[in-house]
Amino acid sequence: ATNAMRSDAAPALSQAIVPTWTGAHIWSVLGTFNAGITVTGGTVNLNNDAATNITNIGTGSTTGTVTIGGNAAQQIDIAAGTGVQSLNLGTGATGAKTINIGTGAVANTILIGNTTVGTKTGVNVAASTAQLHLGGGTATADQGAPLKFTSGDNLTTAEAGVVEYDGTVFYSTPAASSRGVSPSEYFIALYSDYTANNSTAEQKMFNNPTNGEITLSGSTAYMFEGQITISAATSGNNTVATSFGGTATVESIGYTVISSREDALINQNDHRTSYVTTRNSTVVTRAKDETYATLIIKGIVRVNGSGTFIPQFKFDVINDSAPTILTNSYFKIHPIGTNNVTSVGNWD
């Protein structure tokens, strides 16, 4: 009966059979044989203690599972013929399709496309043109990414050629025992001049996106840098200060500002260097009446609690005209580890 639960013993050794069943059933392999099995729904269990081979698994519309276990070598071969070979899992209209490999006590392996002319593995691509070829992503959350890492522990000893993710940053190891941070940089840069407010209040350096702020993660250290040029005509001496606003809880911060004030953009000779250890407003230029202020910023911030982080500036005296942040001024920042990280790499 097609809808009855059934368990069938294997036929004699090497007897070729091609059973086709629809409905709820269990095919349990109890001996050693080679067989072609077409399954529409139900379960295939390879749990015997002798070598077994399944050469054909059908594509039904209900839930189907292939479980490979037992104490002997178990195998699914899709290799016959000279054409493209496929294992289609999940082509039915309903029901999850699953292959479970790993119920034994030894290491398990899946080989796809391993031939004498080279290994080419394609995932969601019509034809693979690389050793491993991933299909393009889609915009669907939680299922559209072409490659996704789950956070875990890093190797005790870094291995060459490895990429790792610990939930805070990505790491890559180009040489043995030389793990390095693979920075995912976040940046903001002006495509056109931004006219700011003519006031003595702290204000954002960037306006596109509108708020000029980035949200940082908690318990994370970040390295940052920026290059900002401000034009503000003034008839009296004033200073420029930098600060970082936002809701992020900062454990510590340290950054250097190299600044200059001149009436020309080229050959600005009046430099000043400041090392700042607070996110609060700090004067970093000389008091001058020059039109342009250029700021080069580099530093590290260690964040305890997640929240926004806003690069800011202020003048201590109102200018003759509103200050303008010039095109291609930028600020970038990237995570380097937990908020107490001290090194990454083969330091000694």
Side-chain angles (χ1 to χ4, degrees):
T2 58
N3 292 322
M5 293 295 295
R6 55 190 295 171
S7 178
D8 295 79
L13 182 66
S14 299
Q15 177 181 346
I17 62 170
V18 184
T20 301
W21 295 327
T22 301
H25 62 273
I26 298 176
W27 173 269
S28 296
V29 178
L30 304 177
T32 303
F33 72 105
N34 291 314
I37 302 174
T38 299
V39 178
T40 303
T43 301
V44 175
N45 292 323
L46 297 185
N47 286 304
N48 61 308
D49 291 340
T52 307
N53 181 22
I54 290 184
T55 58
N56 185 24
I57 299 177
T59 55
S61 61
T62 57
T63 300
T65 301
V66 178
T67 301
I68 301 178
N71 296 322
Q74 314 299 337
Q75 179 174 310
I76 295 178
D77 278 336
I78 304 178
T82 59
V84 175
Q85 312 303 325
S86 300
L87 172 60
N88 297 321
L89 187 68
T91 60
T94 60
K97 309 298 187 291
T98 305
I99 294 180
N100 297 319
I101 299 179
T103 60
V106 296
N108 301 281
T109 303
I110 298 177
L111 296 178
I112 304 176
N114 190 11
T115 69
T116 57
V117 295
T119 300
K120 283 188 168 46
T121 302
V123 180
N124 200 28
V125 290
S128 176
T129 57
Q131 297 298 304
L132 177 60
H133 191 163
L134 302 182
T138 69
T140 305
D142 296 327
Q143 56 183 296
L147 180 64
K148 183 176 181 178
F149 285 81
T150 299
S151 62
D153 295 333
N154 291 335
L155 296 171
T156 301
T157 302
E159 297 180 10
V162 169
V163 177
E164 299 169 284
Y165 174 59
D166 64 359
T168 301
V169 295
F170 288 96
Y171 303 90
S172 58
T173 306
S177 300
S178 294
R179 178 188 290 116
V181 171
S182 295
S184 297
E185 289 192 335
Y186 321 127
F187 76 90
I188 187 169
L190 292 179
Y191 180 73
S192 59
D193 290 353
Y194 157 49
T195 301
N197 300 319
N198 196 7
S199 74
T200 58
E202 294 174 84
Q203 56 182 309
K204 63 191 179 186
M205 289 181 176
F206 301 94
N207 71 329
N208 190 8
T210 304
N211 295 325
E213 65 184 22
I214 186 169
T215 298
L216 302 182
S217 300
S219 302
T220 305
Y222 293 86
M223 190 172 290
F224 60 84
E225 72 171 60
Q227 175 181 288
I228 300 94
T229 300
I230 306 170
S231 172
T234 179
S235 57
N237 289 344
N238 61 13
T239 61
V240 180
T242 57
S243 62
F244 292 95
T247 60
T249 304
V250 171
E251 176 183 353
S252 64
I253 187 171
Y255 67 96
T256 298
V257 180
I258 300 174
S259 68
S260 62
R261 294 289 302 275
E262 292 287 354
D263 276 332
L265 287 172
I266 305 298
N267 296 325
Q268 298 183 13
N269 296 315
D270 187 14
H271 299 296
R272 183 177 185 179
T273 301
S274 304
Y275 182 67
V276 184
T277 58
T278 175
R279 67 187 298 176
N280 298 328
S281 182
T282 304
V283 173
V284 293
T285 70
R286 300 182 186 278
K288 300 190 70 175
D289 62 355
E290 311 292 351
T291 300
Y292 296 102
T294 297
L295 311 175
I296 307 297
I297 301 173
K298 292 187 176 183
I300 288 177
V301 59
R302 298 178 186 269
V303 177
N304 278 339
S306 63
T308 56
F309 192 66
I310 310 170
Q312 299 178 148
F313 76 98
K314 65 168 286 187
F315 284 91
D316 66 337
V317 176
I318 292 178
N319 294 282
D320 294 341
S321 61
T324 299
I325 315 301
L326 300 189
T327 301
N328 291 326
S329 293
Y330 74 87
F331 186 87
K332 65 180 182 179
I333 185 169
H334 67 270
I336 58 174
T338 60
N339 60 341
N340 60 358
V341 66
T342 57
S343 66
V344 174
N346 196 17
W347 297 95
D348 195 1

